[in-house]
Amino acid sequence: MTETPIDDRTTSTLFPDAPGRTKGYEKRAVDQFLSRAREAFESDAEGTLRSTEVRATAFPLVRGGYAIAPVDAALGRVEDAFAAREREHALSRLGARAWVAETRDTAQVVLDRLQRPRGHRFDRVGFLRYGYRVDEVDVAADRIARYLAAGDPITAEQVRSVAFRMERGGYREQQVDAVLDAVVEVMLAIG
């Protein structure tokens, strides 16, 4: 198996503090999650913690917390490690052909959505509510669609860190986030 271990720099509690009056991630919450992730990874019990759970992890923001960027980078490495292990388990369980077909199917579903006309790729929130800015999401969707269709370069970290401003009547956040999560899953599945 070619697993990427969760190394000491990933689970170290030696993250820098958020500077000055800037809020950072609550230290105890980060330390507890990384400890849990390390235990789950070392136990090698399939399904104890999944890469999707790592990606969905959120920590409270507090003064005196850890700086956000280094913690997010560490979470990215942890997610990559779990995704690599999940890929190995899936390959051994399903076989390469079935696993590739499953990943291709997911990628095709995402690509079909992203190739819809601009402004109509996702449901909109009501006019009095705020959602993601349509033009910004469409730019990101175009770039991801080019990656899926033609292999244009983009990294999982770029997809993970994409952020959109809000506007009235924008795209529904949950739908956009679900598609971005699926893109990251596809990217990690193909390594």
Side-chain angles (χ1 to χ4, degrees):
M1 234 188 236
T2 58
E3 290 183 1
T4 306
I6 298 177
D7 61 21
D8 287 335
R9 75 191 160 128
T10 302
T11 59
S12 171
T13 57
L14 299 177
F15 294 111
D17 290 345
R21 300 173 61 99
T22 306
K23 290 185 177 183
Y25 290 140
E26 183 182 62
K27 292 179 179 181
R28 192 178 78 227
V30 171
D31 293 342
Q32 287 174 346
F33 178 79
L34 291 178
S35 176
R36 177 178 161 234
R38 176 176 221 146
E39 289 172 17
F41 193 83
E42 289 175 350
S43 76
D44 197 29
E46 188 176 357
T48 56
L49 184 66
R50 303 207 22 97
S51 60
T52 54
E53 294 172 78
V54 175
R55 187 176 329 113
T57 298
F59 303 111
L61 291 174
V62 296
R63 287 216 169 114
Y66 288 134
I68 292 171
V71 174
D72 286 348
L75 287 176
R77 291 190 301 272
V78 171
E79 180 185 357
D80 291 347
F82 277 95
R85 182 169 72 187
E86 290 163 13
R87 182 174 52 246
E88 292 295 326
H89 284 269
L91 280 168
S92 65
R93 187 179 66 250
L94 298 172
R97 193 173 292 226
W99 175 78
V100 168
E102 186 177 292
T103 303
R104 184 180 298 131
D105 289 346
T106 301
Q108 189 60 55
V109 168
V110 170
L111 183 59
D112 290 346
R113 172 168 296 271
L114 298 181
Q115 289 180 330
R116 292 178 180 176
R118 288 175 147 260
H120 301 282
R121 291 178 172 148
F122 300 95
D123 290 343
R124 302 280 192 103
V125 296
F127 182 71
L128 298 177
R129 300 197 54 188
Y130 284 90
Y132 288 146
R133 279 195 55 160
V134 172
D135 59 335
E136 292 177 357
V137 172
D138 284 342
V139 167
D142 290 341
R143 185 161 183 219
I144 294 168
R146 287 191 304 271
Y147 163 79
L148 292 171
D152 282 11
I154 190 170
T155 66
E157 189 56 39
Q158 289 171 318
V159 176
R160 282 184 192 121
S161 64
V162 69
F164 308 107
R165 290 179 290 178
M166 305 297 279
E167 72 177 352
R168 286 182 190 247
Y171 281 141
R172 189 172 303 282
E173 293 175 57
Q174 297 87 345
Q175 277 192 339
V176 175
D177 291 345
V179 168
L180 293 176
D181 285 346
V183 169
V184 171
E185 284 180 38
V186 167
M187 294 174 98
L188 295 176
I190 60 177

